[in-house]
Amino acid sequence: MLVVFPSLLNAQQNVDSLINMLNSRADPSLRFKAARAIYDYYEEKNSDTALYFANQSVLIAEQNNQKIPEAFSLVQKGYQLIGLGRFGEAFQCFQTSFSIAEDPHNEKPNMWDLSLYSFIGKNYYNGNQRLLSLAYAHHMFALLMVRTDNLEQQILHFKEAAKIGQEINWIPRVMLAYMNLGQSYLTINKLDSALFFESAAERLAVQIGYKKYLGNIEVLMGDIYQFSGKPAHALEYYYKGVQTSTEQRNLSSLTKNYLRLIKYHLASRNKDSALYYSKQNLKTIQLLGSVAGTETNIGIGYENMYLSYQLNHQFDSAFKYLELALGAKDSLNKLRIKNLVEFQNRSFAEQLRLKNIEKEKVIYNNKVRTYALLAGLAAFLLIALILYRNNRQKHRSNKVLEKALSNLKQTQAQLIQSEKMASLGELTAGIAHEIQNPLNFVNNFSEINKELLAEMKEEMGKGNLDEVKALTNDVIDNEQKIYHHGKRASAIVKGMLQYSRSSNTATKELTDINKLADEHMRLSYHGIRAKDKGYTADLETNFDSDIREISVVPQDIGLVLLNLFNNGFYATSEKKNRSDATYAPLVSVRTKKVNGHVEIIVKDNGNGIPEKVVAKIFQPFFTTKPTGQGTGLGLSLAYDIVKAHGGELTVQSVEGEGATFLVRLPL
C-alpha cells in the first residue's frame, strides 16, 4: 500500500478507496496515511471536508501515542480552522503542536514517518520529522498572524519556518515561507523585498516541480508589479495564475486570480469580461465551501456579480446580487467579529497564563538567590543573569498583551460598524415602499402626457391653436410634477447611500429635523410591515413649525430615530400578539423647541420596559429581545451618537403601558 499511495493521490476517483481503508481495521499507520492523503486532496478545495479528515488524523495519532504525527496533524487542522475564520480554535491547535514539536523527547524509534508530506513524485522527505513538524507549525502560525493583522509576528514566524527548512534541506518549506514573506512585505509597501522573496519562491517552485501553490505565487507577483506601476506585467501574471491554479485544482489560488481580473475589467469597463470572470469566481467560491477568508467569502462574489451586471445595465440582476451581497457580508462580518473576539479572548488567557508562570519563576528565582548568596559571588552573578533573562521575557509578554488589547479595540469598532450595516438591511423594505410612490406618479403623468401630446397633434392638424395652447399648458404642468416626484425618488436613494458610509467620514450639515423624523418613522413602519403583513399601527406626528434646520450628521441622527421607532413598533407588535382585538398599537413622534434645544419625543403604547432593567438599556450588548433577535447594540449606539452631538438621550417607561424616549439636541 505504501508503494501505491503516490498514484492514489493523483486521481479523485481513488478517494473512495482511501476512505474504505480509513474505515477498515487496517494497521493504524496505514489508516493515518489514508486520512492524510484524503486531507491533502481536499486541502485547497473544500475546508469543511479537509477539516474532517485532519481531525481523523489527529484522533488516530493520539490513540496510538504518536506525538510528532499528532503535532503535524494539529497544524493541518489549525490551517483549515484559519480558512473557516475560527481563529481561537486554530490558536489552540498551534499552541499544542508547538509544545509537542519543541520537545526532543517526543522523537521515538517507532514513530510513524511523514513521508507523504511532499506529494512530489518519489522525492519524499526522510530527515528529522520533529523539525519538519516544527517548521510547519511556525509557518501556519504565521498565517494566523496574517489573518489577525499582526505583521511583526507573521514575518518572524515565516522566517523561522524558512530557517528550519534550510537546516533540514527541505526546499518546499523554504519555498512556501518565501511566498508568504513576499506577501507580508507587500503589505507594508516594501516592494524590493517583496519581489526578492516572491521571485525566489517562483524559481524554487518551478525548480522542484511543486506547483500546487504556484498560482498563488503568480497572483502575488502580479500584485507586486501592479503596485510598482507595471500593469501589463501584472495582468500577464494574473492570466498565468488562472491557468496554473486550474491545472493544479487549487481553488483558493484560482479565486484570488479571478478577483484581480474582475477588478481590472471593471476599471477598464470591459463589460463581457467583467461578467464572465465574476461568474467564474462565484462558482469557485461556492465550490470551496464554508470559507471565511477575506478574498474567498461569498459576499465578495455576490458584490462582484452586482458590479458586473450594473456595468452591463442589467439592473434587475444587479439589484438581486446587491441584496445577496448585503446579507452575506453582514452575516460573515458578524461571524468574523465573533471569531476575532474568541481569538483575542484565548490569546489574552494565554498571556495571563504566561504572566502567572513568570510570577512563579520570580518566586523560585528569589529563593535560589537567597540560598546562592551563601555560596559567594559566583552564585550571585548566576542569579542576576537568570533575573535579567526573565525580565526580558516579561517585557516580550507585555508587548504581545498590548497588541492583543489593541486588536480587541479594533474588533469592537468593527462590531459597531456591522450594527450600522445591519440597520441598512432593515431599511431596504421601507425604502422599496417609499420609492414606489414617486415612481407611480412619474409613470402615471408620463402616460397622461403621452395622451395629451397625441391630442395636441390632432388639434394642430385642425388648426385649433387655442386648444393646442391649453394642451401645451397641461403638458408643462405634468412635466413639473414628473420632475418633482423624480427628485423625491432621488432624495430617497441618496438617503439610503448615506447609511452605507462610515461615520468617520460623515460631516454635519443643516437638516430639517421634522422631515427627517417623519421619513424615518414611515421607513421603520414599512420595514416591520414587510416582515409581518398582518401588523398595523396608528402613526401620530406633532411637529413644531418654529424649528428651523439644525446642524447634525443626518445619517447618524437618522440611525438614532430608526432604532427608537423600530423599538416602538416591535413593542406594540409583541403586545398585539398577546392582547385581545380591542388593543390598537400606537407610535407617535413630537418635536418642540425648548431653551435653545430641540426635543424629539418618541412614544409607544407597548408593553413598556421592566423597571429593574431600565437602567441597563443603554449598555452595550444588553437586550430584552429573545436570543437571536437583537444584538443589544442599537440603543447603545444611539446613546453614543446623541452624546457626540452634544445632546442627551433619556427614557421613561411604565410597565404594561408603554415607553417614551426623549432626544435633546442643541440648536
Side-chain angles (χ1 to χ4, degrees):
M1 290 307 300
L2 293 175
V3 175
V4 300
F5 260 111
S7 61
L8 289 175
L9 285 166
N10 291 328
Q12 182 174 358
Q13 60 266 31
N14 290 315
V15 170
D16 289 341
S17 301
L18 292 169
I19 292 175
N20 290 335
M21 180 183 297
L22 175 63
N23 295 328
S24 71
R25 295 186 178 182
D27 183 89
S29 63
L30 289 179
R31 293 178 59 236
F32 175 77
K33 276 187 174 288
R36 288 201 42 245
I38 303 170
Y39 165 86
D40 179 67
Y41 179 81
Y42 287 107
E43 184 178 39
E44 301 296 343
K45 296 182 178 69
N46 188 294
S47 291
D48 290 320
T49 306
L51 177 61
Y52 172 82
F53 288 104
N55 272 320
Q56 294 297 305
S57 300
V58 172
L59 183 62
I60 296 171
E62 189 177 28
Q63 288 173 343
N64 291 273
N65 196 30
Q66 290 286 329
K67 288 296 185 181
I68 300 302
E70 179 187 351
F72 192 92
S73 299
L74 280 168
V75 176
Q76 292 181 322
K77 177 180 177 180
Y79 176 54
Q80 296 306 319
L81 289 170
I82 293 172
L84 293 167
R86 291 155 63 178
F87 304 138
E89 295 176 63
F91 180 83
Q92 193 63 50
C93 285
F94 296 140
Q95 289 298 309
T96 305
S97 181
F98 275 128
S99 66
I100 295 173
E102 288 175 343
D103 187 356
H105 294 96
N106 286 320
E107 294 183 70
K108 305 291 183 182
N110 61 342
M111 183 174 64
W112 296 342
D113 73 270
L114 301 172
S115 59
L116 195 61
Y117 175 75
S118 71
F119 312 118
I120 307 170
K122 298 181 179 180
N123 299 321
Y124 297 128
Y125 178 78
N126 58 4
N128 189 307
Q129 298 186 91
R130 180 181 68 83
L131 292 179
L132 173 68
S133 298
L134 186 58
Y136 194 29
H138 277 292
H139 185 94
M140 295 308 182
F141 185 79
L143 290 179
L144 177 60
M145 295 298 100
V146 171
R147 292 294 302 278
T148 53
D149 299 324
N150 192 327
L151 182 66
E152 180 181 352
Q153 288 295 309
Q154 64 184 257
I155 292 177
L156 187 152
H157 284 278
F158 280 138
K159 287 186 174 180
E160 186 64 23
K163 176 185 174 183
I164 298 174
Q166 290 169 338
E167 288 177 1
I168 62 177
N169 195 29
W170 186 230
I171 304 304
R173 176 53 48 217
V174 179
M175 180 270 291
L176 291 171
Y178 284 174
M179 175 185 76
N180 286 283
L181 279 168
Q183 183 175 14
S184 297
Y185 282 112
L186 177 61
T187 302
I188 54 177
N189 204 31
K190 290 189 175 182
L191 300 181
D192 289 340
S193 297
L195 183 61
F196 170 80
F197 282 109
E198 216 57 57
S199 298
E202 181 183 27
R203 184 175 62 255
L204 290 175
V206 174
Q207 176 183 323
I208 63 177
Y210 184 32
K211 299 182 180 181
K212 181 176 181 178
Y213 295 96
L214 183 57
N216 195 69
I217 295 172
E218 287 166 338
V219 74
L220 290 171
M221 287 290 289
D223 289 347
I224 293 168
Y225 281 120
Q226 184 69 33
F227 278 98
S228 300
K230 299 178 180 178
H233 286 74
L235 194 61
E236 180 183 353
Y237 265 105
Y238 296 149
Y239 281 119
K240 285 171 60 179
V242 169
Q243 181 179 351
T244 304
S245 300
T246 303
E247 292 172 354
Q248 297 298 315
R249 300 181 183 179
N250 189 327
L251 302 185
S252 178
S253 299
L254 182 59
T255 191
K256 293 177 185 177
N257 282 282
Y258 279 150
L259 281 173
R260 272 53 169 195
L261 290 174
I262 293 167
K263 183 177 180 181
Y264 169 79
H265 288 299
L266 284 173
S268 303
R269 303 192 66 80
N270 299 329
K271 299 187 291 185
D272 294 338
S273 295
L275 184 58
Y276 171 77
Y277 285 112
S278 293
K279 288 180 178 179
Q280 294 297 108
N281 183 50
L282 184 59
K283 289 178 184 177
T284 307
I285 292 173
Q286 290 169 335
L287 286 172
L288 273 169
S290 302
V291 180
T294 54
E295 298 184 2
T296 51
N297 73 61
I298 195 72
I300 296 294
Y302 289 146
E303 182 178 16
N304 284 322
M305 290 291 288
Y306 154 66
L307 294 172
S308 298
Y309 275 120
Q310 188 180 51
L311 182 62
N312 281 270
H313 302 292
Q314 299 181 32
F315 297 111
D316 289 342
S317 297
F319 283 117
K320 167 190 169 184
Y321 281 102
L322 173 60
E323 184 177 356
L324 290 170
L326 285 172
K329 280 194 168 184
D330 180 56
S331 175
L332 288 168
N333 280 339
K334 288 180 179 179
L335 177 61
R336 183 175 181 272
I337 290 168
K338 175 186 174 184
N339 289 329
L340 280 171
V341 170
E342 180 189 358
F343 166 72
Q344 298 297 343
N345 288 339
R346 294 204 185 202
S347 179
F348 184 70
E350 177 65 16
Q351 298 309 316
L352 288 178
R353 185 182 71 82
L354 291 175
K355 293 196 77 172
N356 287 332
I357 292 173
E358 285 295 323
K359 289 179 181 179
E360 293 175 3
K361 286 183 178 179
V362 169
I363 293 171
Y364 171 76
N365 289 330
N366 285 336
K367 289 181 178 179
V368 172
R369 184 180 61 183
T370 301
Y371 291 117
L373 285 173
L374 301 175
L377 182 60
F380 174 82
L381 292 174
L382 177 61
I383 294 172
L385 182 61
I386 293 173
L387 289 175
Y388 173 75
R389 179 179 61 84
N390 287 340
N391 188 50
R392 289 189 63 187
Q393 289 179 351
K394 182 178 180 180
H395 281 298
R396 290 196 194 100
S397 298
N398 286 337
K399 286 182 179 179
V400 175
L401 182 58
E402 288 170 3
K403 179 66 177 179
L405 292 174
S406 174
N407 287 342
L408 186 57
K409 288 180 181 178
Q410 293 176 6
T411 299
Q412 291 170 342
Q414 291 172 348
L415 191 58
I416 290 173
Q417 183 62 22
S418 177
E419 176 68 18
K420 290 186 178 182
M421 293 307 294
S423 296
L424 174 60
E426 294 179 0
L427 275 174
T428 302
I431 287 173
H433 182 278
E434 284 296 297
I435 205 170
Q436 188 62 47
N437 190 29
L439 287 178
N440 285 339
F441 277 106
V442 170
N443 291 334
N444 291 338
F445 283 116
S446 297
E447 187 66 30
I448 291 171
N449 275 0
K450 181 180 177 182
E451 296 174 0
L452 289 174
L453 289 170
E455 189 176 343
M456 185 190 301
K457 182 178 180 181
E458 183 179 340
E459 293 298 330
M460 288 177 66
K462 296 176 181 179
N464 192 348
L465 297 180
D466 290 338
E467 187 63 28
V468 170
K469 183 178 181 181
L471 290 170
T472 301
N473 291 334
D474 289 342
V475 171
I476 292 173
D477 289 342
N478 288 346
E479 285 299 317
Q480 290 176 340
K481 292 173 183 177
I482 290 172
Y483 176 77
H484 169 72
H485 291 291
K487 293 291 285 185
R488 279 186 60 200
S490 177
I492 291 169
V493 173
K494 179 181 178 183
M496 175 183 177
L497 293 175
Q498 284 181 322
Y499 276 101
S500 66
R501 301 177 190 162
S502 168
S503 62
N504 292 332
T505 61
T507 56
K508 289 186 177 181
E509 58 188 68
L510 291 177
T511 303
D512 186 337
I513 207 70
N514 291 337
K515 182 179 178 182
L516 190 69
D518 184 59
E519 288 178 349
H520 283 78
M521 186 180 198
R522 287 185 286 107
L523 287 174
S524 177
Y525 179 61
H526 293 313
I528 194 169
R529 279 186 44 80
K531 298 177 183 177
D532 183 2
K533 300 295 185 184
Y535 173 77
T536 58
D538 293 328
L539 312 183
E540 285 188 1
T541 59
N542 184 2
F543 298 128
D544 187 342
S545 59
D546 291 334
I547 298 176
R548 298 181 179 180
E549 293 182 334
I550 64 173
S551 181
V552 296
V553 180
Q555 59 266 38
D556 284 356
I557 296 301
L559 181 59
V560 171
L561 294 171
L562 187 67
N563 274 311
L564 299 183
F565 289 133
N566 283 347
N567 285 344
F569 289 124
Y570 177 86
T572 55
S573 173
E574 288 293 295
K575 187 172 181 177
K576 183 178 181 181
N577 292 335
R578 300 173 185 173
S579 303
D580 56 30
T582 61
Y583 171 70
L586 172 66
V587 177
S588 66
V589 59
R590 180 162 63 99
T591 62
K592 62 180 181 178
K593 184 164 61 174
V594 180
N595 298 329
H597 288 79
V598 170
E599 291 186 353
I600 309 171
I601 301 99
V602 178
K603 185 176 181 180
D604 67 75
N605 66 343
N607 288 319
I609 304 169
E611 183 177 355
K612 62 182 180 180
V613 301
V614 168
K616 300 179 181 179
I617 62 170
F618 295 122
Q619 296 178 4
F621 306 108
F622 179 82
T623 179
T624 58
K625 294 180 181 179
T627 302
Q629 294 190 25
T631 63
L633 282 173
L635 287 177
S636 171
L637 185 59
Y639 185 89
D640 290 341
I641 290 172
V642 174
K643 281 290 185 184
H645 279 73
E648 59 180 348
L649 174 60
T650 58
V651 62
Q652 292 180 347
S653 177
V654 178
E655 191 169 357
E657 296 183 13
T660 302
F661 287 87
L662 170 63
V663 179
R664 180 178 285 113
L665 297 170
L667 281 172

